[in-house]
Amino acid sequence: MSTVKLVEYEDAGAEVKAVYDDIRQVRQTDFINNFWKALANYPATLERVWSAGKEVMAPGEIDAVTKEMVYIAVSVANACEYCVHSHTSAAFGKGMSETQYGELLAVIALAQQNNGLASGMQVPVDEVFLKE
Amino acid sequence: MSTVKLVEYEDAGAEVKAVYDDIRQVRQTDFINNFWKALANYPATLERVWSAGKEVMAPGEIDAVTKEMVYIAVSVANACEYCVHSHTSAAFGKGMSETQYGELLAVIALAQQNNGLASGMQVPVDEVFLKE
Amino acid sequence: MSTVKLVEYEDAGAEVKAVYDDIRQVRQTDFINNFWKALANYPATLERVWSAGKEVMAPGEIDAVTKEMVYIAVSVANACEYCVHSHTSAAFGKGMSETQYGELLAVIALAQQNNGLASGMQVPVDEVFLKE
Amino acid sequence: MSTVKLVEYEDAGAEVKAVYDDIRQVRQTDFINNFWKALANYPATLERVWSAGKEVMAPGEIDAVTKEMVYIAVSVANACEYCVHSHTSAAFGKGMSETQYGELLAVIALAQQNNGLASGMQVPVDEVFLKE
Amino acid sequence: MSTVKLVEYEDAGAEVKAVYDDIRQVRQTDFINNFWKALANYPATLERVWSAGKEVMAPGEIDAVTKEMVYIAVSVANACEYCVHSHTSAAFGKGMSETQYGELLAVIALAQQNNGLASGMQVPVDEVFLKE
Amino acid sequence: MSTVKLVEYEDAGAEVKAVYDDIRQVRQTDFINNFWKALANYPATLERVWSAGKEVMAPGEIDAVTKEMVYIAVSVANACEYCVHSHTSAAFGKGMSETQYGELLAVIALAQQNNGLASGMQVPVDEVFLKE
């Protein structure tokens, strides 16, 4: 019972089907990945999470690939295996180059390292960072 | 003894002074923030961390502001107070707009949320993400 | 050598057998899950961890299902795959409904999101939260 | 510039004022805590986060106090200082007893401990947890 | 109410006093640090946590200073400000040298960095690590 | 494309081959584990990460086994599956005893538990830990 059930389109209720249709429309593909099929067990959450994602990940003053890279960075720090896989795929799909991916990994690794050093030494925050 | 000592320029040895000089040169400012002053207690680590940072954070196929945003994302997920403060300041200093910062926060928050959902349901990784 | 050995009942020493017997007695089942079989390589730790768990997870002013939900929440935030699986199963076994599970996921996701926002903006703690 | 600006009611635009009014109405208090004042720099995010929170934290099959306890558990694991303070206060405000709080802490601590053990030994997930 | 009350010796009940006496005896000092004074609000937890700590942190095949260094490593990764401060102090008190501390920080930083790289690339575990 | 490609020796360029040769020389084995084969897609990062690791993990005032134990502790707290497996293997390879491993797990578990308690209660740092 603890293994998540994946809701396929043909087994979904109207509310879920509407979200699936919108996913397909926005992404211009029939493919629905497992994250949404799992969330579909909870239609209200599915609807809210999809809506938020559609709004937040759309290009704004930050472009779509950069948003995916930020998403990957968070997912790596949180050790979310699914999210790392799905958003690395998404980033490449939206145009991230192999070189950019290598640079992304290097920045994530540097931040991880320095997070450890700053937290380890409990470095006091400089006054200048606290002023508006 | 557990509170980190901050090494000022005038009290530093030659190895540390050389790094401080390079920081000032690269950043075009006399200001040395506490992270480096704390690391300066361990000159070999200071030198290695500064060198790596200089190389990794320099603009490449990913621009400097985007790299700062990725750095912030990791630091937020790791709850590193110092790093969040210092790199948010750095990102603004390098040209991040207020609107971009708002979008950055929204993407970080979305990823955090979805990391929780994917890890909570232990969603199986789609085959398509595992194929080259 | 880095892959954990699972200690079966028939191969266990007296100290481990006593814990296994108690697990079976308390849970009213013959099934011993891998967490305990792995810990059984270190009998003193097994004994201490089982005793603490038996005491802490017993219903008190917080009921047993709620305790499992809190346990799941921590495990999700820590990305502990084993713990998420075993305690989601335990929560359902103790009576968590499908609807409650959906609500649990939604609260975890909300907290994850807002943790990211509060840490990202380094929101100062309100005075009123610091007063007794 | 990296220190978050807190938006007071009288300085807020119409969109933010509407959310503040709703917060006051739902919570039956004039007090707006800093989390919302910080988020108010990004009105669309403020609106989405408040709406989601209002929906998710409302009592359902899980009662309001239990939801706060789950929220605290996630925030502790993520070391979110602000969230721990604000939601511990909220939980007490909604009726969590001192004894419940002590039990909550004990469950969080147990989960943290066992997360470390399960991840440290990389315990294989039992087949029975993976079957529906 | 969300700010923890610190229980002083003279205000403590018999159960708490007994633990405080044991802490003073084991550590050969009158000083009781805030962690215990906070836990003392929950005497059963105080007793269990102190007992476990006394047993686990005592020198065995791993010496006392090394145990403190491992403790610090976990606390840094979890961004636990209190624990980093208290156990860095404890490690120095038990004989950690300044050079050892510098090496400790470097290892923590390296692990943090490489955790990010391995999780970011989702490197498959080598067969040889999975065989006994 | 999101699944990492592993670069074998015979397919590697000169820069990567030089690092592989050095790994084999330093470790006195032909075996190259997947972490390096994955990193080899990004030769500059491979070189920097290997150099840092070689320097940091070499015995100093902290011996090699202790450094591996600290590395494991960080990796467990970060839930890095690959790193836990590879460095537990490395620690045993460098001479960690089964008893030491059991003690290591117990210290990690204790720290995890107490991190949860200290962060949960937001225990104020004692003045004495903040003085030099």
Side-chain angles (χ1 to χ4, degrees):
Chain A
M1 202 138 47
S2 69
T3 304
V4 73
K5 190 165 59 94
L6 301 174
V7 180
E8 300 298 333
Y9 188 89
E10 39 283 3
D11 306 320
E15 193 177 355
V16 169
K17 271 191 171 126
V19 175
Y20 282 11
D21 287 340
D22 195 43
I23 292 174
R24 287 171 163 174
Q25 160 70 23
V26 167
R27 295 184 165 175
Q28 292 290 303
T29 171
D30 268 5
F31 178 63
I32 305 279
N33 57 305
N34 288 344
F35 181 71
W36 306 111
K37 291 183 182 171
L39 261 188
N41 293 288
Y42 317 102
T45 306
L46 172 70
E47 205 287 327
R48 195 176 54 243
V49 170
W50 166 249
S51 295
K54 189 169 57 167
E55 184 177 333
V56 169
M57 296 304 282
E61 288 201 15
I62 301 180
D63 63 89
V65 169
T66 297
K67 287 186 172 185
E68 290 293 343
M69 294 194 293
V70 167
Y71 197 116
I72 291 168
V74 172
S75 304
V76 170
N78 284 335
C80 181
E81 183 183 352
Y82 185 86
C83 308
V84 170
H85 275 302
S86 60
H87 284 270
T88 301
S89 179
F92 278 121
K94 291 180 179 176
M96 177 173 70
S97 71
E98 275 292 341
T99 301
Q100 285 178 315
Y101 181 58
E103 293 183 8
L104 171 65
L105 287 171
V107 176
I108 291 171
L110 181 79
Q112 284 269 128
Q113 176 197 66
N114 293 359
N115 287 183
L117 291 167
S119 292
M121 298 185 294
Q122 289 287 313
V123 181
V125 180
D126 303 74
E127 282 297 312
V128 71
F129 297 149
L130 298 172
K131 297 237 179 65
E132 290 193 37
Chain B
M1 201 134 53
S2 70
T3 304
V4 73
K5 188 164 62 91
L6 301 174
V7 180
E8 300 298 334
Y9 188 89
E10 40 283 2
D11 306 320
E15 194 176 354
V16 169
K17 271 190 170 125
V19 175
Y20 282 12
D21 287 340
D22 195 43
I23 292 174
R24 287 170 163 173
Q25 161 70 23
V26 168
R27 297 187 165 173
Q28 291 290 304
T29 169
D30 269 5
F31 179 63
I32 306 281
N33 56 305
N34 289 343
F35 181 72
W36 307 110
K37 292 182 181 172
L39 261 188
N41 293 287
Y42 317 101
T45 306
L46 172 70
E47 203 289 326
R48 195 177 53 245
V49 170
W50 166 248
S51 294
K54 189 169 57 167
E55 186 177 331
V56 169
M57 297 303 283
E61 286 202 15
I62 301 180
D63 64 88
V65 168
T66 297
K67 287 188 172 184
E68 291 293 344
M69 293 194 294
V70 167
Y71 199 115
I72 291 167
V74 172
S75 304
V76 169
N78 283 335
C80 181
E81 182 184 352
Y82 185 86
C83 308
V84 171
H85 276 302
S86 60
H87 284 270
T88 302
S89 177
F92 279 121
K94 291 179 179 177
M96 178 174 69
S97 71
E98 275 292 340
T99 301
Q100 284 178 317
Y101 181 57
E103 292 183 9
L104 172 65
L105 287 171
V107 176
I108 291 172
L110 181 79
Q112 285 269 129
Q113 175 197 67
N114 293 359
N115 287 183
L117 290 166
S119 291
M121 298 185 295
Q122 289 287 313
V123 180
V125 181
D126 303 73
E127 282 298 311
V128 72
F129 298 148
L130 297 171
K131 295 237 179 66
E132 289 193 37
Chain C
M1 202 135 51
S2 69
T3 305
V4 73
K5 190 166 60 93
L6 301 174
V7 180
E8 300 298 334
Y9 189 89
E10 39 284 2
D11 306 321
E15 193 176 355
V16 168
K17 271 191 170 125
V19 174
Y20 282 11
D21 287 340
D22 196 43
I23 292 174
R24 287 170 163 174
Q25 161 70 24
V26 168
R27 295 186 167 174
Q28 292 290 305
T29 170
D30 268 5
F31 178 64
I32 306 279
N33 57 305
N34 288 344
F35 181 71
W36 307 111
K37 291 182 182 172
L39 261 189
N41 293 288
Y42 318 101
T45 306
L46 172 70
E47 204 288 326
R48 193 176 55 244
V49 171
W50 165 248
S51 294
K54 188 169 58 167
E55 184 177 332
V56 169
M57 296 304 283
E61 287 201 15
I62 300 180
D63 63 89
V65 169
T66 297
K67 287 186 173 186
E68 291 293 345
M69 294 194 294
V70 167
Y71 198 115
I72 291 167
V74 172
S75 304
V76 169
N78 283 335
C80 182
E81 182 183 352
Y82 185 87
C83 308
V84 170
H85 276 301
S86 61
H87 284 271
T88 302
S89 178
F92 278 121
K94 292 180 178 177
M96 177 175 68
S97 71
E98 275 292 340
T99 301
Q100 284 178 317
Y101 181 58
E103 292 183 8
L104 171 65
L105 287 171
V107 176
I108 291 171
L110 181 79
Q112 285 269 128
Q113 175 198 67
N114 293 359
N115 287 183
L117 291 167
S119 291
M121 298 186 294
Q122 290 287 313
V123 181
V125 181
D126 303 73
E127 283 297 311
V128 71
F129 297 148
L130 297 172
K131 297 237 179 65
E132 288 194 38
Chain D
M1 201 136 50
S2 70
T3 305
V4 73
K5 189 165 61 93
L6 301 174
V7 179
E8 301 298 334
Y9 189 88
E10 39 282 3
D11 306 319
E15 192 176 355
V16 169
K17 272 191 171 125
V19 175
Y20 281 13
D21 287 340
D22 196 43
I23 292 174
R24 287 171 164 173
Q25 160 71 22
V26 168
R27 297 187 165 172
Q28 291 290 303
T29 168
D30 268 5
F31 179 63
I32 306 280
N33 56 306
N34 288 343
F35 181 71
W36 306 111
K37 290 182 181 170
L39 262 188
N41 293 288
Y42 317 102
T45 307
L46 172 70
E47 204 289 325
R48 194 178 54 246
V49 170
W50 165 248
S51 295
K54 188 169 59 166
E55 184 178 331
V56 169
M57 297 303 284
E61 286 202 16
I62 301 180
D63 63 88
V65 169
T66 297
K67 288 187 172 184
E68 291 293 344
M69 293 195 294
V70 168
Y71 197 115
I72 291 168
V74 172
S75 304
V76 169
N78 282 335
C80 181
E81 183 183 353
Y82 185 86
C83 308
V84 170
H85 276 301
S86 60
H87 284 269
T88 302
S89 178
F92 279 122
K94 291 181 179 177
M96 177 174 70
S97 71
E98 275 292 340
T99 300
Q100 284 178 317
Y101 181 58
E103 292 183 9
L104 171 66
L105 287 171
V107 176
I108 291 171
L110 182 78
Q112 284 269 130
Q113 176 197 67
N114 293 0
N115 286 183
L117 291 166
S119 291
M121 298 186 294
Q122 288 287 313
V123 180
V125 180
D126 304 73
E127 283 297 311
V128 72
F129 297 148
L130 297 172
K131 298 235 179 66
E132 288 193 37
Chain E
M1 201 135 52
S2 70
T3 303
V4 73
K5 189 166 61 94
L6 301 174
V7 180
E8 300 299 332
Y9 189 89
E10 39 283 3
D11 305 320
E15 193 176 354
V16 169
K17 271 189 171 128
V19 175
Y20 281 12
D21 287 340
D22 196 42
I23 292 174
R24 287 170 164 174
Q25 162 69 24
V26 167
R27 296 186 164 174
Q28 293 291 302
T29 169
D30 268 6
F31 179 64
I32 305 280
N33 56 305
N34 288 344
F35 181 72
W36 308 111
K37 290 182 181 171
L39 261 188
N41 293 288
Y42 317 102
T45 306
L46 172 71
E47 205 288 326
R48 195 178 53 246
V49 170
W50 165 249
S51 294
K54 188 168 60 166
E55 185 178 332
V56 169
M57 296 304 282
E61 287 202 14
I62 300 180
D63 63 88
V65 169
T66 297
K67 287 187 172 184
E68 291 293 345
M69 293 193 295
V70 168
Y71 198 114
I72 291 167
V74 172
S75 304
V76 169
N78 283 334
C80 181
E81 182 183 353
Y82 185 87
C83 308
V84 171
H85 276 302
S86 60
H87 284 270
T88 301
S89 178
F92 279 121
K94 290 180 180 178
M96 178 174 69
S97 71
E98 275 292 340
T99 301
Q100 284 178 316
Y101 181 58
E103 292 183 8
L104 171 65
L105 287 171
V107 176
I108 291 171
L110 182 78
Q112 285 270 128
Q113 175 196 66
N114 293 359
N115 286 183
L117 290 166
S119 292
M121 298 185 294
Q122 289 287 314
V123 181
V125 180
D126 303 74
E127 282 297 311
V128 72
F129 298 148
L130 298 172
K131 297 236 179 66
E132 289 194 36
Chain F
M1 202 136 48
S2 70
T3 305
V4 72
K5 189 166 60 95
L6 302 174
V7 179
E8 300 299 332
Y9 189 89
E10 38 284 1
D11 306 321
E15 193 177 355
V16 168
K17 270 190 171 128
V19 174
Y20 282 13
D21 287 339
D22 195 43
I23 292 174
R24 287 171 164 174
Q25 161 70 22
V26 168
R27 295 186 166 175
Q28 291 290 303
T29 170
D30 268 5
F31 179 64
I32 306 278
N33 56 306
N34 288 344
F35 181 71
W36 307 111
K37 291 182 181 170
L39 261 188
N41 293 288
Y42 317 101
T45 306
L46 172 71
E47 204 289 325
R48 196 177 53 244
V49 170
W50 165 248
S51 294
K54 189 168 59 165
E55 185 178 332
V56 169
M57 296 304 283
E61 287 201 16
I62 301 179
D63 64 88
V65 169
T66 297
K67 287 186 172 184
E68 291 292 345
M69 294 195 294
V70 168
Y71 198 114
I72 291 167
V74 172
S75 303
V76 169
N78 283 335
C80 181
E81 182 184 353
Y82 185 87
C83 307
V84 170
H85 276 301
S86 61
H87 284 270
T88 302
S89 178
F92 278 121
K94 292 180 179 177
M96 178 174 69
S97 71
E98 275 292 341
T99 301
Q100 284 178 317
Y101 181 58
E103 293 183 8
L104 172 65
L105 287 171
V107 176
I108 291 171
L110 181 78
Q112 285 268 129
Q113 176 197 67
N114 293 359
N115 287 183
L117 291 166
S119 291
M121 298 185 294
Q122 289 288 313
V123 181
V125 180
D126 303 73
E127 283 296 312
V128 72
F129 296 148
L130 297 172
K131 295 237 179 66
E132 290 194 37

